[in-house]
Amino acid sequence: MKNWVDLFYFFMIGASLMLSMQGLWFTAIMPGIDRWSMRFFRILFVVLILLCLLGFIETVMNYFNIVPVAGVHFVMSLESVLLSLPIPMMTAYLLHCCGESVRNGKILHIASGLWIVFLVMIAIAPFINSFYYITPDMNYYRGPWYPLLLTPVNGASLITLIAVIRRRRLLSRKEYQSFLIALIPTTIALFVQMFIEIYPLIDISIVFSVMVMYSLILSDHIERDLGRQREIARQQQEIANQRTSIMVLQMRPHFIYNTMTSIYCLCKQNPDLAQRVTLDFTTYLRKNFTAIASSEPIPFSSELEHTRAYLAVEQASYEDSLSIDYDIQYTCFRVPPLTLQPIVENSIKHGRNPYAGVFRISIQTKKTESGSEIIVSDNGRGFEHVDDSKPHIALKNIQQRLEIICGGCLMIASGEGGGTVVTVTVPDKIPISLSGKS
């Protein structure tokens, strides 16, 4: 090298190149970062690698002095373009992290406009010695207008930094820190470069800042993934607890005692009916026990079989005072275990008025544009007239399990002629976040 300055410059370029290649390698092998961010950092590290390689080429050209001045101008111009490119990229990434439109972001339009002005000035700089010029013996000198050359890119960097500060509430703590670490040293270095030659320090400051930024963003995404996994585990535990509590409600001792007593009486009065009720009661118990071990949606046909078995047992007890109407138009969908049967049981237990004649329940299913619907209606007292919090608790548990397991919902309304209408909506597609995948 000609002097210690060239040696220092060469060393700084080498360090920057190593850090950039390491960053690119990390983006290729490290999981836990979304696709948009991964693409952003890969492009950014590629830009930095090309910038460092151009720095090597420029250093070699200055040392051997074998390339014409026009070639040096071309390399320096291309190097300046790559050095400024991360700034509009940072602006676009900021909008993405804030959930704003990248294409329609005004701040990106301003930063990109300033960057384009800088490109135009870089293109004409070799022909105007007022910006900078290179002597035939490869000595580089600044012109009086050199600070003006860097003004657009400095403005774009400062505007992006201000935008980060103004949007700090839309960013996570680590995202906010990463943008500050990436932009503050770069902005300061570019401002100082307007008056003092610190070009090698700009390279290393940008590369180091981007490395720190990538590390913070990566750790932030990993923390979010862990948080989602903990939330999924919490939801699964909540589902298990709710399923257990519902099963406790389901296995009411008096219901079992009444059923067994009815079967005992029927054994003498109507043996055939006693056998049928025993079979229905066995099916009901088997479906209950199966539901305890199930944490995934089951075919609606299985839930319907469970409900039919339960209603058959109840009809044996209530005889002609309970009427069931089935209008099953569609069954090709899945529901959480213990969805329909507890709704029907809740209707009989809390909606039936023994002094109001025949209690009628209608169970209907239909296909909708976005999923499937289950509609359970009755002619009972109506949920607003029930002086008991238990039916609301039971339905609320079903509603929570629908939301957690399959993204469905449950709605309760009064019927047109009285009674209660419970509508269960199950979407065709289960959201990824509800299926346990991150």
Side-chain angles (χ1 to χ4, degrees):
M1 298 297 167
K2 292 182 179 179
N3 51 50
W4 68 271
V5 176
D6 290 337
L7 182 61
F8 175 74
Y9 188 23
F10 194 83
F11 172 78
M12 296 300 288
I13 293 175
S16 302
L17 180 62
M18 292 298 295
L19 286 175
S20 301
M21 294 178 66
Q22 187 178 24
L24 183 61
W25 172 251
F26 283 156
T27 59
I29 65 172
M30 291 294 289
I33 193 169
D34 66 87
R35 185 176 299 177
W36 211 101
S37 299
M38 184 177 295
R39 187 182 299 115
F40 165 77
F41 280 107
R42 283 182 178 176
I43 296 174
L44 190 56
F45 281 119
V46 169
V47 169
L48 296 178
I49 290 173
L50 294 176
L51 178 63
C52 295
L53 293 176
L54 285 175
F56 273 120
I57 294 173
E58 181 188 353
T59 304
V60 171
M61 288 191 308
N62 289 337
Y63 178 75
F64 290 103
N65 199 11
I66 57 175
V67 179
V69 174
V72 177
H73 273 298
F74 175 77
V75 173
M76 290 182 63
S77 298
L78 187 57
E79 191 175 2
S80 299
V81 171
L82 292 177
L83 187 63
S84 62
L85 183 57
I87 294 174
M89 291 179 61
M90 290 282 185
T91 310
Y93 188 58
L94 170 65
L95 296 177
H96 166 74
C97 292
C98 294
E100 300 180 25
S101 173
V102 176
R103 290 186 177 182
N104 301 324
K106 292 183 179 180
I107 186 67
L108 179 59
H109 294 164
I110 295 174
S112 300
L114 290 172
W115 184 67
I116 292 173
V117 172
F118 174 71
L119 296 185
V120 173
M121 296 177 69
I122 284 293
I124 65 175
F127 308 101
I128 303 177
N129 292 338
S130 297
F131 288 121
Y132 68 86
Y133 60 94
I134 301 173
T135 62
D137 56 350
M138 294 302 174
N139 288 319
Y140 171 84
Y141 295 97
R142 296 182 175 204
W145 292 1
Y146 184 81
L148 183 63
L149 180 65
L150 295 183
T151 299
V153 70
N154 276 335
S157 180
L158 183 60
I159 289 173
T160 304
L161 179 59
I162 295 173
V164 169
I165 297 174
R166 293 184 62 182
R167 289 167 170 77
R168 60 187 180 276
R169 297 184 183 277
L170 301 177
L171 300 169
S172 68
R173 180 177 57 86
K174 287 192 175 182
E175 285 177 338
Y176 180 58
Q177 291 175 350
S178 67
F179 277 107
L180 292 181
I181 291 173
L183 288 170
I184 290 178
T186 302
T187 304
I188 294 175
L190 289 172
F191 180 78
V192 173
Q193 174 67 18
M194 295 173 66
F195 308 100
I196 303 173
E197 178 64 41
I198 58 166
Y199 207 80
L201 295 181
I202 298 179
D203 288 357
I204 192 66
S205 67
I206 291 179
V207 172
F208 180 76
S209 299
V210 170
M211 280 293 296
V212 175
M213 180 183 185
Y214 173 71
S215 301
L216 288 173
I217 294 293
L218 178 63
S219 64
D220 186 57
H221 279 272
I222 291 175
E223 287 181 2
R224 290 182 185 181
D225 286 342
L226 291 175
R228 283 193 291 266
Q229 292 175 9
R230 286 193 293 267
E231 178 64 17
I232 291 172
R234 185 194 65 78
Q235 290 178 351
Q236 291 175 343
Q237 183 61 43
E238 184 177 343
I239 292 172
N241 293 338
Q242 289 181 355
R243 189 165 61 247
T244 301
S245 65
I246 290 178
M247 288 306 300
V248 171
L249 294 175
Q250 290 295 101
M251 301 301 293
R252 302 188 316 275
H254 77 270
F255 173 69
I256 298 176
Y257 298 154
N258 291 343
T259 303
M260 296 303 295
T261 301
S262 298
I263 293 173
Y264 175 78
C265 295
L266 289 171
C267 285
K268 289 185 177 181
Q269 300 173 3
N270 192 338
D272 293 337
L273 180 58
Q275 286 185 342
R276 190 164 64 251
V277 173
T278 302
L279 181 61
D280 290 332
F281 187 55
T282 302
T283 302
Y284 164 77
L285 292 176
R286 176 171 54 82
K287 291 292 183 179
N288 267 3
F289 293 137
T290 302
I292 294 178
S294 176
S295 60
E296 299 293 331
I298 62 174
F300 173 74
S301 57
S302 179
E303 182 69 12
L304 181 61
E305 181 185 356
H306 187 191
T307 305
R308 287 184 186 273
Y310 164 75
L311 288 173
V313 174
E314 291 285 32
Q315 282 184 304
S317 300
Y318 292 115
E319 297 181 345
D320 296 334
S321 63
L322 177 62
S323 174
I324 311 297
D325 178 32
Y326 294 97
D327 182 13
I328 308 301
Q329 303 176 14
Y330 185 70
T331 60
C332 297
F333 61 98
R334 304 176 76 86
V335 295
L338 293 174
T339 295
L340 175 60
Q341 190 275 328
I343 293 175
V344 173
E345 181 174 353
N346 187 78
S347 178
I348 294 175
K349 181 181 178 183
H350 301 285
R352 179 176 174 272
N353 186 348
Y355 306 104
V358 178
F359 182 66
R360 302 183 184 279
I361 296 179
S362 171
I363 302 174
Q364 177 187 4
T365 63
K366 62 181 180 179
K367 184 74 176 68
T368 63
E369 292 183 359
S370 58
S372 308
E373 278 189 358
I374 307 170
I375 303 171
V376 179
S377 58
D378 63 54
N379 64 340
R381 291 177 289 175
F383 67 93
E384 69 273 13
H385 300 299
V386 178
D387 250 352
D388 193 348
S389 62
K390 288 184 179 179
H392 300 287
I393 293 175
L395 294 176
K396 184 177 180 181
N397 284 340
I398 297 172
Q399 182 178 12
Q400 290 177 346
R401 290 190 302 116
L402 278 167
E403 293 175 354
I404 293 173
I405 295 178
C406 63
C409 65
L410 181 147
M411 295 182 293
I412 310 172
S414 298
E416 293 182 0
T420 303
V421 178
V422 179
T423 303
V424 174
T425 302
V426 181
D428 283 335
K429 295 183 179 180
I430 300 176
I432 294 177
S433 59
L434 299 177
S435 65
K437 298 176 183 178
S438 60

